[in-house]
Amino acid sequence: MTMLRTLAAAAGLALLAGCEVPEENSASPAEVSQAAYQHAGPPALTLYTVINNYSGAGAHSALMVNADQRAIYDPAGTFYHPHLPEVGDVHYGMSPPAVDFYIDYHARESFRVIEQTIPVTPRQAAIAMAEIQRYGAAPKAHCTVSVASILSRVPGFEDTPSTWFPKKLMEAVSDRPGVMVREVRDDSKDDNSGLLQAPALLHQRQKTQSPT
């Protein structure tokens, strides 16, 4: 995790995890197509919940979809990497190093990340991918309600509660059958400034890779 944190400066990252004012980012179709990453793992939906280590409150929600490609919907988030094109809060090219970088960006002294992965059918994954691409950039503080809305439109997830609270959505997902949970903590300081540049590794990823 320490090495991954050194990627932050070149990406122009903000210092605080959480939902911020969104920007309608618009990478070109060619950039998105070139960055597309096809993960060899089974179709899955992964909910990321960022939790404040001091207050215990939820700070942010995001959704990764593994379908015909793997992408993360990071609504109203501050995450950015120059080699991961973004369109309407959807970040493409989410190879294993890119996912690690995403998690490490949020996990720090003040925040931990809960990763909940749910196996789904190819159809469910395809619908979820279409929904994150359709939804567009979310307004400030709408991260969790946006993710919950998207999940509720996926067959089999219609009972997902509409909520503004990251931990409430996390708890709802924890009751789903087959969910796999991982907690990531990192004692790195909250200040990401003054760190080294992002490597070309994320840009030079393979199109297909075994699950990691």
Side-chain angles (χ1 to χ4, degrees):
M1 283 300 185
T2 301
M3 181 180 67
L4 288 171
R5 184 161 298 284
T6 63
L7 312 183
L13 302 176
L15 303 185
L16 182 65
C19 300
E20 299 293 344
V21 178
E23 295 181 2
E24 189 63 55
N25 295 296
S26 187
S28 70
E31 290 173 319
V32 171
S33 177
Q34 184 178 15
Y37 172 77
Q38 298 170 343
H39 190 59
L45 305 180
T46 301
L47 176 67
Y48 289 105
T49 306
V50 181
I51 297 177
N52 189 299
N53 288 330
Y54 303 121
S55 68
H60 188 54
S61 299
L63 181 68
M64 183 167 71
V65 179
N66 188 33
D68 60 336
Q69 62 175 308
R70 192 161 71 171
I72 285 183
Y73 183 57
D74 189 52
T78 58
F79 175 76
Y80 170 74
H81 191 284
H83 296 154
L84 303 175
E86 179 183 358
V87 179
D89 286 348
V90 178
H91 299 264
Y92 295 90
M94 298 310 298
S95 64
V99 173
D100 287 344
F101 180 51
Y102 178 84
I103 294 171
D104 189 55
Y105 167 69
H106 291 89
R108 59 190 70 183
E109 186 177 45
S110 297
F111 297 94
R112 64 186 182 273
V113 176
I114 306 299
E115 178 188 78
Q116 295 170 292
T117 300
I118 311 159
V120 295
T121 66
R123 177 172 178 268
Q124 287 173 310
I127 290 173
M129 181 65 73
E131 288 295 336
I132 66 173
Q133 292 172 325
R134 183 198 65 80
Y135 201 93
K140 181 180 180 180
H142 281 60
C143 55
T144 302
V145 73
S146 298
V147 170
S149 177
I150 287 168
L151 283 173
S152 70
R153 299 173 191 175
V154 178
F157 291 77
E158 295 91 347
D159 60 347
T160 302
S162 178
T163 179
W164 296 82
F165 300 101
K167 289 183 72 174
K168 183 175 180 180
L169 181 59
M170 180 184 72
E171 290 163 1
V173 167
S174 69
D175 294 332
R176 302 201 64 86
V179 62
M180 296 169 284
V181 182
R182 181 169 70 115
E183 181 177 283
V184 181
R185 291 179 178 264
D186 190 332
D187 59 2
S188 299
K189 297 298 182 181
D190 290 331
D191 187 352
N192 281 346
S193 63
L195 302 179
L196 300 177
Q197 292 189 349
L201 175 62
L202 297 183
H203 183 62
Q204 297 173 350
R205 54 193 168 275
Q206 296 178 349
K207 287 291 184 178
T208 304
Q209 182 167 335
S210 299
T212 57

